[in-house]
Amino acid sequence: MTSRPLHAVLLPAQAAGGRLLDLLAAALDGSGPAILPLDPSLPRARLDELIQAFAPTAIQTEHDRHVLAPAGDGSCGSAGHGGSGGSAGPGVGDEIAVVLATSGSTGLPKGAELSGDALLASARASLARLGSTGGERWLCCLPTHHVSGLGVLVRSLVSGTEPVIADRPDRGVFAGNVDYVSLVPTQLRRLLDAGVPLASFRAILLGGAAIPAGLVAEAAAAGATVVTSYGMTETCGGCVYDGVPLDGVRVASGSDGRIRISGPVLFSGYRLAPDLTRAALEDGWFVTSDLGGTGEDGRLTVRGRADDVIISGGEKIVAGEVEHVLRGCPGVRDAVVVGTPDPDWGERVTAVVVAVDPASPPSLDELRAFVRERLPRYAAPRGLLVVGELPMLTSGKADRQRLRRLAAGS
């Protein structure tokens, strides 16, 4: 059955602890419509594309609610945010509480349908692993139209507390009475550089992007308790903490090297995309785009993304493995590895590096030598671009499409 209405919600960040939290609570307990949180700061044309692709039945903004006309009735609704809008599609299943757009730097993202049961199972398993007894407050400084920020709101509802909402983490918001916070590595790096005290948190949940070598140890030396998290929109956010799956979650590696995940936290499917759903869900397992596996101790190791494999001179190089090595190289603060066109090799392994000392960045020869001591010779970068900072998506991940263009242009 797809009878439950789906409301696109375009609310500013400061409304996340009020109106959005109320809408989310009603979506979870079934007393309200399912919600599709979108970023209201997106260009109008992009919002119109997302609304057209996900076909909600109504749009709620900070000031009003607009019901879209059913598809095929000959009318054209206004999206209420100043765009051309579109026609309403079918509702969602009665069990679906939230539809979230998966992050991506190009093209239209997929709309992951998350049931109330899956979101609540994720929040409860997370709180149990962190040792929460209820009543603790969360600081939400991640976008609530991404699963990382929305997950903070769900945990707050389960904990029975009002989250502290901030556009970004800084010394002022950290002085408040909060117990937990979820951050991406870039945020933690900036907080450490600014000397913000972090020991007051019971735990800092860190995920959303690759974690530079030494960052967790540096935070621990500053008194912080950091728990690393692995997951994605399709798993209601982080489902593996410090390499160990949350209770009820199973992780395995297929013959193709891709990580597979099963358990009560899985999404139900992609909005209006049955073919994509069938390709992603196999016999109760979600087939991720990440390469990795579990060791003898049962801990998960993530090698990198399958779609970030660089083929250079006929050899396959996993960009994530080279990035991991480069982040441990002296003089490197952060690094991303991309493939750039090469007439002889097909693709060139190119390192985009943020230096510890911008006035004295490591040379390409130094990087190559460091990598060749730890990985096969063909994995050593053949190109280098030094940048002041990595361009990031709002999800906290590096904008790889932009980095490829920058690296190719250099």
Side-chain angles (χ1 to χ4, degrees):
M1 293 291 292
T2 57
S3 58
R4 190 176 190 182
L6 174 66
H7 287 194
V9 179
L10 285 73
L11 294 175
Q14 60 268 27
R19 189 172 174 192
L20 180 57
L21 197 67
D22 292 340
L23 291 170
L24 176 61
L28 290 171
D29 67 18
S31 62
I35 59 173
L36 167 66
L38 296 175
D39 181 2
S41 68
L42 286 173
R44 190 181 75 183
R46 181 62 168 178
L47 281 172
D48 286 343
E49 286 180 340
L50 293 173
I51 289 169
Q52 188 69 35
F54 298 140
T57 52
I59 300 172
Q60 296 198 36
T61 68
E62 189 175 12
H63 304 293
D64 58 22
R65 180 171 68 88
H66 181 84
V67 179
L68 294 176
D73 75 346
S75 60
C76 180
S78 168
H81 59 278
S84 59
S87 299
V92 295
D94 290 342
E95 78 284 1
I96 302 302
V98 176
V99 176
L100 281 180
T102 57
S103 60
S105 56
T106 61
L108 282 175
K110 300 182 288 288
E113 296 183 328
L114 307 177
S115 71
D117 286 346
L119 287 163
L120 292 172
S122 171
R124 289 166 180 153
S126 169
L127 293 170
R129 181 63 57 86
L130 293 173
S132 171
T133 56
E136 297 96 345
R137 296 188 78 189
W138 281 78
L139 170 62
C140 182
C141 50
L142 292 168
T144 52
H145 52 272
H146 288 304
V147 71
S148 53
L150 192 89
V152 172
L153 301 188
V154 179
R155 294 185 204 106
S156 296
L157 288 171
V158 172
S159 298
T161 58
E162 184 85 8
V164 176
I165 308 297
D167 288 335
R168 61 183 61 85
D170 57 30
R171 188 178 297 272
V173 297
F174 274 69
N177 181 25
V178 288
D179 302 283
Y180 296 102
V181 64
S182 183
L183 300 174
V184 297
T186 300
Q187 291 174 319
L188 180 57
R189 174 75 270 160
R190 290 172 179 169
L191 291 170
L192 287 170
D193 290 346
V196 175
L198 303 175
S200 62
F201 285 97
R202 292 188 59 181
I204 296 173
L205 202 55
L206 184 67
I211 301 172
L215 181 62
V216 173
E218 184 178 347
T225 300
V226 177
V227 177
T228 62
S229 170
Y230 168 78
M232 56 281 299
T233 305
E234 290 87 346
T235 61
C236 292
C239 62
V240 178
Y241 284 9
D242 287 336
V244 180
L246 296 179
D247 292 346
V249 175
R250 296 175 60 200
V251 176
S253 180
S255 59
D256 57 359
R258 294 195 179 204
I259 297 170
R260 286 160 164 76
I261 300 172
S262 69
V265 301
L266 288 193
F267 76 126
S268 299
Y270 293 117
R271 170 75 170 159
L272 305 177
D275 291 343
L276 291 176
T277 300
R278 284 191 291 269
L281 292 173
E282 295 181 356
D283 299 323
W285 291 82
F286 169 54
V287 182
T288 77
S289 297
D290 294 324
L291 301 173
T294 54
E296 293 182 359
D297 60 357
R299 292 182 180 273
L300 175 68
T301 298
V302 182
R303 297 175 58 204
R305 289 184 60 84
D307 52 6
D308 283 333
V309 172
I310 301 167
I311 302 178
S312 183
E315 300 287 357
K316 293 183 177 180
I317 301 112
V318 179
E321 291 184 328
V322 186
E323 291 169 0
H324 178 73
V325 170
L326 287 174
R327 291 183 183 117
C329 180
V332 174
R333 167 154 289 179
D334 204 353
V336 169
V337 171
V338 296
T340 55
D342 187 279
D344 297 320
W345 297 87
E347 284 186 291
R348 176 186 305 171
V349 179
T350 301
V352 184
V353 167
V354 178
V356 173
D357 180 2
S360 182
S363 68
L364 178 59
D365 286 343
E366 289 171 332
L367 297 180
R368 283 178 56 80
F370 190 83
V371 172
R372 286 166 63 177
E373 291 177 355
R374 294 159 177 80
L375 293 175
R377 295 173 62 90
Y378 55 77
R382 294 179 175 273
L384 170 63
L385 174 63
V386 179
V387 297
E389 62 180 4
L390 297 173
M392 308 297 286
L393 301 170
T394 58
S395 61
K397 299 177 182 178
D399 189 340
R400 291 181 178 273
Q401 292 294 333
R402 185 177 174 189
L403 287 171
R404 288 189 184 97
R405 292 195 297 270
L406 290 172
S410 67

